Amino acid sequence: MAIGQCRDVENGGTNSLGDLEQPFIKQEKKVGADYEDGSTGSIGMVLLSTCVAVCGSFEFGSCVGYSAPTQSAIREDLNLSLAQFSMFGSILTIGAMLGAITSGRIADFHGRKGAMSMSATFCITGWLAIYFSEGALSLDIGRFLTGYGIGVFSYVIPIFIAEIAPKNLRGGLTTLNQLMIVTGSSVSFVLGTIISWRTLAIAGILPCIVLLVGLWFVPESPRWLAKIGHENEFQVALQRLRGKYADISDETAEIKEYIVTLQSLPKSGVLDLFQSKYIRLVIIGVGLMVFQQFGGINGIGFYASQTFEEAGISSKIGTIAYACVQVPITVVGAMLIDRSGRRPLIMVSATGTFLGCFLAGTSFFLKEYGLLLNCVPTIAVSGVLIYIAFFSIGMGAVPWVIMSEIFPIHVKGAAGSLVVLVNWLGAWAVSYTYNFLMSWSSSRTYYMYSGFSLLTILFMAKLLPETKGKTLEEIQACIKSDRREQDILN
């Protein structure tokens, strides 16, 4: 296929996660979506399908946010040791890692709707196991099952939304995935300060029930139906999404062309990524995920209430403030990503996480040495809130956008698997060790996280290219040019 055609596939009708870079939903003069042939179709079914899908994103956030407000109550009620609760908190990431690794095959075999239904079933089973728990084992089993469910959600939901949405709405609608994850986490934080941990587990089932019911009323992904050769179902699903009277002939041809192109591309495995032409991309992609996780986000987020208590502030006040910061800042970050560019935004974000961790570490240092004790709670909560605000504005979402842009289309599958594996391994390492590190030295733990944020800034400045407004070919040319310059200097 010609380069121009590849560019159309990559920037137009594909289902790649690169679609996340599109701006928020554009304002239209008509209630509908405009297509390239000039026709107008209803977007009602697209919006309904997206709302149903992001119930899974809300569930993702609910699972992630569950451990923070419930730590003290669960440990007290079930008499858990620090190590046992650390395992409970972190085993979510092990399940999520396995879910993410297997999600591609599940979504291809059972379809996007089938994968979401399976994920919801795993989450419901996990929540019930947590609700009826009388000891550490059943807690861990339940947490692992919810982790597996959200691991599949993490892949299939953005893919499903990108595949059903028209081009002019795709970026904005896909952004709702990240926004609902943060919203679910924030709601879990707030509810956990009001209701018991068992009731909160039951509340976690509600998004899954809404999702399962909603899936009966929305169509399957037309691209998946076309991929498996279900021609009639493919056209019916696309017509439902675009409106009864919309002309879908051009989009039908485009999707079929994309399927043919995808099938003609060479198959690549993880080992192929370590060829010299891809190694710089691997370093950037893996490096972004390492720095994202080892900056401490899952430790700080999973056990926020305990951190606030150690700093001498009410865990309820702290966790509510934490929850209130996340959602609006995530919206701001999504709006800035196409205006400021990826590189400046992520460097500002890393600078802010450095400042937040440094302040939190300093507060614990002052507490350890009995200095300025009246100021310790204020400095600690300010540091944590600065950290989560700046993380939400860039370090949370931008690494995933960059990862989806820097890899050529025929290696994105293998690259995505590697990056997801590294990300969830890092999440497990941080969430499991956080409580032990805090027992060793709270101040040094946060100083260590601030050190990783500082290294992130240096890494971005040295290796990260700006991908804003560039096609895949232009990004590749930029990276190759940088590599040639380094070879000449060496």
Side-chain angles (χ1 to χ4, degrees):
M1 170 159 286
I3 292 177
Q5 290 174 304
C6 288
R7 184 174 298 168
D8 288 339
V9 167
E10 188 65 27
N11 295 332
T14 76
N15 63 343
S16 73
L17 293 182
D19 297 321
L20 287 170
E21 68 176 287
Q22 299 299 323
F24 258 42
I25 298 174
K26 301 176 183 177
Q27 297 295 323
E28 302 292 338
K29 295 181 180 179
K30 296 173 280 189
V31 180
D34 293 334
Y35 301 96
E36 291 181 344
D37 63 357
S39 64
T40 302
S42 171
I43 63 170
M45 183 55 71
V46 172
L47 295 178
L48 175 62
S49 300
T50 301
C51 289
V52 170
V54 296
C55 288
S57 307
F58 189 92
E59 174 68 12
F60 187 123
S62 299
C63 293
V64 171
Y66 180 77
S67 61
T70 60
Q71 180 173 356
S72 298
I74 291 178
R75 287 191 64 187
E76 181 179 344
D77 290 352
L78 302 184
N79 195 27
L80 299 184
S81 67
L82 180 64
Q84 287 174 319
F85 191 84
S86 295
M87 176 57 72
F88 168 71
S90 64
I91 201 171
L92 176 88
T93 60
I94 299 296
M97 179 178 64
L98 294 177
I101 292 172
T102 58
S103 60
R105 292 183 181 274
I106 293 173
D108 285 342
F109 186 78
H110 294 288
R112 296 2 179 181
K113 288 174 60 178
M116 285 189 281
S117 297
M118 181 183 296
S119 300
T121 303
F122 271 100
C123 288
I124 290 173
T125 306
W127 284 124
L128 289 175
I130 292 173
Y131 177 79
F132 289 108
S133 291
E134 296 296 338
L137 180 60
S138 54
L139 271 178
D140 291 345
I141 292 173
R143 186 78 163 161
F144 177 84
L145 290 175
T146 58
Y148 186 86
I150 67 172
V152 178
F153 276 144
S154 69
Y155 170 82
V156 72
I157 291 172
I159 288 296
F160 176 74
I161 297 173
E163 288 179 346
I164 66 171
K167 293 178 183 179
N168 65 319
L169 300 179
R170 186 176 295 142
L173 292 178
T174 310
T175 305
L176 291 176
N177 175 56
Q178 179 66 22
L179 180 60
M180 290 302 289
I181 290 174
V182 173
T183 303
S185 176
S186 298
V187 170
S188 185
F189 270 43
V190 174
L191 286 180
T193 65
I194 302 171
I195 60 180
S196 70
W197 63 272
R198 293 188 191 272
T199 306
L200 186 60
I202 292 297
I205 296 176
L206 296 179
C208 297
I209 294 175
V210 175
L211 175 66
L212 289 173
V213 173
L215 287 175
W216 284 93
F217 301 97
V218 301
E220 179 57 272
S221 162
R223 293 179 186 276
W224 179 76
L225 292 169
K227 183 178 179 181
I228 63 174
H230 289 190
E231 181 70 23
N232 292 335
E233 292 92 335
F234 155 59
Q235 297 208 21
V236 170
L238 187 59
Q239 194 73 66
R240 286 185 66 191
L241 288 164
R242 299 297 178 257
K244 184 177 180 180
Y245 301 106
D247 182 0
I248 61 171
S249 56
D250 287 348
E251 189 172 6
T252 298
E254 181 182 325
I255 291 174
K256 289 181 178 179
E257 180 184 0
Y258 168 72
I259 297 300
V260 172
T261 301
L262 190 63
Q263 292 173 344
S264 67
L265 292 173
K267 305 297 181 182
S268 299
V270 173
L271 294 179
D272 295 322
L273 294 173
F274 294 93
Q275 299 176 28
S276 59
K277 58 183 176 181
Y278 301 132
I279 193 67
R280 179 179 169 88
L281 305 180
V282 171
I283 292 173
I284 293 172
V286 171
L288 284 170
M289 297 306 163
V290 168
F291 287 118
Q292 181 197 59
Q293 290 302 324
F294 284 88
I297 180 60
N298 278 300
I300 296 171
F302 278 21
Y303 311 110
S305 62
Q306 188 69 20
T307 302
F308 289 128
E309 286 181 3
E310 291 188 19
I313 191 172
S314 167
S315 61
K316 290 186 177 181
I317 295 175
T319 51
I320 290 174
Y322 186 106
C324 292
V325 165
Q326 284 191 98
V327 177
I329 295 297
T330 300
V331 174
V332 172
M335 296 173 66
L336 288 176
I337 190 170
D338 276 325
R339 298 182 182 181
S340 65
R342 285 77 161 126
R343 198 166 181 263
L345 187 59
I346 204 169
M347 291 183 71
V348 168
S349 177
T351 302
T353 58
F354 164 77
L355 175 62
C357 283
F358 187 82
L359 285 175
T362 300
S363 72
F364 287 117
F365 177 83
L366 294 174
K367 183 180 179 181
E368 289 171 9
Y369 288 92
L371 303 173
L372 302 175
L373 293 179
N374 292 335
C375 299
V376 166
T378 302
I379 298 174
V381 74
S382 298
V384 172
L385 295 182
I386 289 172
Y387 174 88
I388 192 59
F390 277 91
F391 182 89
S392 298
I393 208 170
M395 284 298 293
V398 175
W400 294 104
V401 176
I402 293 173
M403 188 280 293
S404 72
E405 294 173 329
I406 63 175
F407 290 103
I409 188 172
H410 61 283
V411 298
K412 273 187 178 177
S417 297
L418 176 63
V419 167
V420 166
L421 178 63
V422 170
N423 186 272
W424 283 115
L425 281 173
W428 173 79
V430 171
S431 59
Y432 182 72
T433 59
Y434 179 82
N435 283 324
F436 297 109
L437 289 172
M438 289 292 285
S439 297
W440 164 63
S441 174
S442 300
S443 60
R444 292 177 185 177
T445 299
Y446 274 86
Y447 285 144
M448 180 180 67
Y449 291 152
S450 67
F452 272 103
S453 295
L454 188 60
L455 290 174
T456 303
I457 300 170
L458 299 176
F459 178 84
M460 304 302 167
K462 182 67 175 177
L463 292 176
L464 187 66
E466 179 54 72
T467 60
K468 172 193 171 185
K470 295 179 181 178
T471 65
L472 173 65
E473 291 79 14
E474 290 169 341
I475 294 171
Q476 298 302 310
C478 177
I479 293 174
K480 289 178 181 178
S481 175
D482 290 344
R483 187 167 62 232
R484 281 197 298 269
E485 290 178 5
Q486 288 181 353
D487 291 341
I488 292 173
L489 292 174
N490 293 334

